[in-house]
């Protein structure tokens, strides 16, 4: 089921986003590309790895760590409930639908260093230079302690205080921008097509800064990621097999369509969106 969805729905549109580099690797283009200023990205990787180990060791899965850092996208309870009602369940395990624009929610038994207690937004699916299917996504609830301007001085103005999120383990020293201000009616140009039906676009950093500074777009609509997660089909097969938990229930990865506010929310701690979506999945299954 996973393979059929990937091949029939996603590869044609998304593979155009993947291109080979001169050294034989491949990247997904975003415009313009942002490079983290060396040696900052090396320091960032080291600190993030250390912080992740500490957080994983001391924070229970349902606990949310408090923080004194600025909050960027507060939602009222009424607004949050209205948004959560727009979540669409797309299956779990072998029956899960995987395509650009969905969010993959990890099961409780996932113990991968990056994927544990994670929600992953899939932003591209396509073929690499070896004609192998690859799926790329970013972890949406793994904030770092750094703003984008601290890691990339080229980002200035209203967006400079937006937090950088760690999208995953792959990607070397690159960063990417996701936002909801693109499209024909949006104020950010040069972003290409919407990612699936998510209401989210990639790239257009210069136009994004201009739109935010002019008050045409809210900084809450923009989210920066350092690195990404990458999967091959056989890796997804292993991930989505599921495990029977202590209560005798099958715990599997789940695919959801969620409102763009969930993906772009910067008011989250590590694993917070994962916990929220897990609760929503539980309610859907019980309802």
């Amino acid at each position: 089921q996973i393979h059929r969805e990937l091949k029939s729905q996603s590869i044609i549109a998304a593979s155009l986003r993947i291109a080979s580099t001169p050294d034989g690797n491949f990247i997904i283009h975003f415009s313009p590309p942002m490079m983290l200023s060396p040696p900052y990205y090396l320091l960032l990787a080291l600190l993030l790895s250390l912080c992740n180990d500490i957080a994983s060791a001391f924070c229970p899965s349902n606990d949310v760590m408090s923080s004194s850092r600025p909050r960027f996208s507060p939602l009222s309870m009424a607004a949050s409930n209205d948004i959560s009602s727009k979540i669409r369940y797309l299956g779990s395990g072998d029956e899960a639908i995987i395509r650009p624009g969905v969010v993959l929610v990890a099961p409780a038994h996932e113990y991968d260093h990056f994927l544990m207690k994670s929600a992953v937004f899939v932003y591209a699916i396509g073929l690499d230079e070896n004609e192998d299917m690859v799926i790329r996504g970013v972890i949406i609830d793994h904030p770092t302690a750094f703003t984008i301007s601290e890691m990339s001085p080229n980002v200035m103005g209203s967006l400079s205080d937006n937090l950088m999120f760690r999208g995953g383990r792959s990607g070397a020293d690159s960063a990417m921008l996701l936002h909801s201000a693109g499209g024909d009616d949006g104020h950010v140009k040069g972003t290409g097509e919407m990612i699936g039906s998510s209401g989210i676009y990639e790239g257009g950093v210069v136009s994004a800064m201009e739109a935010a500074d002019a008050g045409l777009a809210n900084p809450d609509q923009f989210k920066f990621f350092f690195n990404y997660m990458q999967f091959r089909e056989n890796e997804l097969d292993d991930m989505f097999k599921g495990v029977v938990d202590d209560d005798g229930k099958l715990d599997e990865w789940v695919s959801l369509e969620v409102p763009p506010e969930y993906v772009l929310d910067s008011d989250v701690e590590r694993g917070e969106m994962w916990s929220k979506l897990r609760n929503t999945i539980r309610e859907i299954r019980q309802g």
Side-chain angles (χ1 to χ4, degrees), residues 92 107-109 241-253 278 281-283 285-286:
S92 63
H109 76 266
K241 284 180 180 177
V243 171
V244 177
D245 61 22
D246 295 337
D247 297 327
K249 298 180 180 179
L250 187 62
D251 193 19
E252 304 171 300
W253 279 83
R278 288 273 295 181
I281 292 167
R282 189 177 300 111
E283 293 170 0
R285 287 172 169 172
Q286 292 174 348

Side-chain angles (χ1 to χ4, degrees), residues 71-74 158-159 162 177-181 187-188 208 211-223 264:
R71 298 291 190 171
F72 292 100
S73 54
S158 300
L159 298 185
N162 280 29
L177 170 65
L178 295 180
H179 60 87
S180 59
H187 295 286
V188 177
D213 289 344
L216 300 175
N218 193 307
D220 294 345
Q221 295 179 260
F222 303 89
K223 194 168 182 177
L264 301 177

Side-chain angles (χ1 to χ4, degrees), residues 100-103 121-123 177-186 188 191-202 220-222 257-264:
V102 305
V103 170
F121 175 72
V122 177
Y123 68 90
L177 170 65
L178 295 180
H179 60 87
S180 59
D184 294 338
D185 298 328
V188 177
T191 60
E193 297 181 354
M194 182 190 304
I195 300 174
S197 57
S198 65
I200 294 175
Y201 301 82
E202 180 188 353
D220 294 345
Q221 295 179 260
F222 303 89
E257 282 185 351
V258 306
E261 292 89 347
Y262 271 44
V263 176
L264 301 177

Side-chain angles (χ1 to χ4, degrees), residues 49-238:
S49 179
L50 176 61
C51 292
N52 184 74
D53 290 338
I54 295 174
S56 298
F58 291 100
C59 294
S61 61
N62 292 326
D63 287 350
V64 177
M65 296 181 292
S66 62
S67 173
S68 59
R69 64 173 172 81
R71 298 291 190 171
F72 292 100
S73 54
L75 292 174
S76 67
M77 184 63 71
S80 179
N81 291 337
D82 181 62
I83 292 172
S84 64
S85 67
K86 300 177 182 178
I87 294 176
R88 182 184 177 199
Y89 182 83
L90 297 179
S92 63
D94 292 339
E95 301 300 319
I97 296 174
I98 303 176
R99 59 182 180 232
V102 305
V103 170
L104 306 180
V105 183
H109 76 266
E110 179 60 68
Y111 299 114
D112 179 89
H113 182 73
F114 287 94
L115 296 176
M116 180 173 57
K117 305 172 190 174
S118 70
V120 181
F121 175 72
V122 177
Y123 68 90
I125 299 177
L127 302 178
D128 64 12
E129 73 279 5
N130 297 318
E131 297 297 309
D132 293 326
M133 179 81 72
V134 292
I135 299 91
R136 286 190 175 181
V138 287
I139 300 170
I140 62 176
D141 54 356
H142 191 168
T144 74
F146 304 94
T147 64
I148 181 61
S149 61
E150 290 175 313
M151 305 311 301
S152 181
N154 292 329
V155 179
M156 300 173 286
S158 300
L159 298 185
S160 62
D161 289 333
N162 280 29
L163 282 183
M164 175 83 81
F165 280 69
R166 179 149 198 179
R169 66 165 58 90
S170 303
D173 59 342
S174 62
M176 65 177 293
L177 170 65
L178 295 180
H179 60 87
S180 59
D184 294 338
D185 298 328
H187 295 286
V188 177
K189 307 304 178 183
T191 60
E193 297 181 354
M194 182 190 304
I195 300 174
S197 57
S198 65
I200 294 175
Y201 301 82
E202 180 188 353
V205 178
V206 174
S207 182
M209 289 189 290
E210 294 173 347
D213 289 344
L216 300 175
N218 193 307
D220 294 345
Q221 295 179 260
F222 303 89
K223 194 168 182 177
F224 295 91
F225 294 89
F226 167 76
N227 283 358
Y228 52 81
M229 293 300 301
Q230 177 170 293
F231 311 99
R232 297 185 184 278
E233 284 188 281
N234 62 333
E235 293 175 316
L236 283 183
D237 286 342
D238 293 337

Side-chain angles (χ1 to χ4, degrees), residues 255-270:
S255 178
L256 300 173
E257 282 185 351
V258 306
E261 292 89 347
Y262 271 44
V263 176
L264 301 177
D265 191 359
S266 292
D267 185 21
V268 291
E269 302 290 352
R270 176 70 190 273

